Amino acid sequence: MAAKGLPGDHAGMTTERAEPAQNADERTMLEGWLDYHRQTLAWKCEGLTDDQLRTASVPPSELSLMGLVRHMAEVERSWFRRVLVDDGAGPIHYTDEDRDGEFHLTEEDTWQEAYAGWQAEIAIARRNAAGFQLDELSRGGSRSTGEPFSLRWIYTHMIEEYARHNGHADLLRERIDGVTGD
């Protein structure tokens, strides 16, 4: 899959995916894999129109690339803000009445907005994580038990979350325009 400029990106920038280091310390490796998967999701969305990015996979599913990006903004916010530092940040796209709101797109929802919100949450996640050691426990806890998580657990979970959704993104992209690639 050739990297192309992001829709609405007037500078024509492309997503650079850096392979994680093969012989780094643990934190560098975890952060490298997380960034690699973040970059992969952005890469899967490059070169598409807002309409294509809003295209659902297979009805009745509402899964779309833009919805995945909005979902990952929510996930970044949840783990690195609400759990790690317990800052009380509310949801971006969903509500108690619409728990899957990030996937319920309208014509007014744009890639520019979804991408900017996601990138803002990633920047906050990096800043918050920088203040913790891998074994340090979160200030917030599990919704079910209240138990805190180590930053190592959060990083590992986030890598798994992105990897799973990048598999969805592969299929969505292929269905939209036939483009495949790792």
Side-chain angles (χ1 to χ4, degrees), residues 154-172:
I154 293 170
Y155 275 154
T156 302
H157 175 71
M158 289 297 294
I159 292 165
E160 176 273 329
E161 182 88 11
Y162 271 102
R164 179 167 30 97
H165 290 311
N166 282 338
H168 298 136
D170 286 340
L171 296 171
L172 287 163

Side-chain angles (χ1 to χ4, degrees), residues 61-135:
S61 174
E62 295 180 280
L63 190 63
S64 68
L65 288 168
M66 192 183 300
L68 282 176
V69 166
R70 287 168 36 131
H71 174 69
M72 292 313 299
E74 294 282 11
V75 172
E76 294 272 359
R77 186 178 189 95
S78 178
W79 284 104
F80 290 104
R81 294 182 68 178
R82 288 193 291 265
V83 174
L84 186 63
V85 299
D86 196 18
D87 74 356
I92 306 165
H93 303 288
Y94 71 86
T95 64
D96 287 338
E97 296 77 33
D98 185 4
R99 299 299 295 171
D100 293 322
E102 64 266 37
F103 296 110
H104 300 152
L105 303 171
T106 68
E107 292 295 316
E108 289 78 43
D109 294 312
T110 67
W111 171 248
Q112 199 111 16
E113 177 186 84
Y115 183 79
W118 179 44
Q119 293 304 303
E121 291 302 324
I122 290 171
I124 293 167
R126 286 184 178 129
R127 185 186 72 228
N128 288 348
F132 283 75
Q133 298 300 313
L134 287 178
D135 290 327

